[in-house]
Amino acid sequence: ATFRASQGGPLELQLDIEGIDETVNATVFPTLSISTVGPYMFSDAVLNLAGNPYSFLDFEVIVDNQLIGDRHLNSLTRTALPEGGRLVQWTLNAPYGDSTALYGLAAAGVACTATFTLGARSCLFSSDRVSFPRQGPTVPDKGEIMFPLVGVAGRYGSTLELVVTNDSTG
């Protein structure tokens, strides 16, 4: 799953789904209730790193279960779809002048949250420990210097790499 949003746009979800077999049956899928209130917009998001709010050009969280997709054993079809591990990656781009404190952010990891709010509804992405390796800013020309942050979330105690809380009670 990839959650992403960028300036001027809505929060998007892209799913890559793998399966072992298929069943053609209309009752397999649940009934979805689509909100008519509107989408979460990036302009309504609050992003915090290490407890401090920052402004970013974009936001992306990737959850990759690293499925082993070639498990056929002695069969013509897939026999299993085991998980090979889990990767949760946060990617953020910020104007360098506004976020110089983020350079060399603790290698042990920092808390990261992104809260999208729409009226009384909210969606919170939270990772207790995201490690951002040192990566300098990109200086391609005379334009604004951008500072890319790409970090990997780790499990911290009993807390999962990523917790998503969707409060749709509003």
Side-chain angles (χ1 to χ4, degrees):
T2 301
F3 300 91
R4 71 170 58 96
S6 61
Q7 60 183 358
L11 175 63
E12 300 175 355
L13 168 62
Q14 175 186 336
L15 292 174
D16 293 325
I17 299 173
E18 293 275 347
I20 296 174
D21 198 357
E22 66 179 339
T23 301
V24 180
N25 185 341
T27 61
V28 171
F29 293 99
T31 303
L32 297 176
S33 169
I34 306 298
S35 171
T36 58
V37 177
Y40 292 116
M41 298 299 291
F42 188 62
S43 57
D44 297 323
V46 175
L47 291 110
N48 284 287
L49 272 72
N52 299 307
Y54 286 95
S55 296
F56 293 95
L57 293 175
D58 52 33
F59 154 89
E60 181 177 78
V61 172
I62 297 171
V63 179
D64 182 357
N65 288 322
Q66 299 177 338
L67 300 176
I68 300 170
D70 60 355
R71 179 68 68 88
H72 293 87
L73 302 177
N74 54 332
S75 174
L76 292 175
T77 60
R78 184 181 281 168
T79 58
L81 194 56
E83 187 175 315
R86 182 188 318 253
L87 172 71
V88 175
Q89 176 179 295
W90 286 69
T91 302
L92 306 158
N93 277 302
Y96 184 67
D98 297 341
S99 56
T100 54
L102 297 176
Y103 184 75
L105 206 55
V110 296
C112 294
T113 62
T115 306
F116 292 81
T117 305
L118 177 63
R121 298 171 185 258
S122 66
C123 185
L124 168 66
F125 297 84
S126 178
S127 292
D128 280 355
R129 188 169 281 181
V130 182
S131 297
F132 293 97
R134 288 183 183 260
Q135 180 178 348
T138 303
V139 186
D141 54 28
K142 292 183 180 182
E144 184 175 21
I145 297 173
M146 298 311 297
F147 184 50
L149 283 169
V150 179
V152 175
R155 201 175 179 137
Y156 185 62
S158 62
T159 305
L160 296 173
E161 302 94 330
L162 177 68
V163 175
V164 180
T165 306
N166 191 27
D167 179 9
S168 60
T169 58

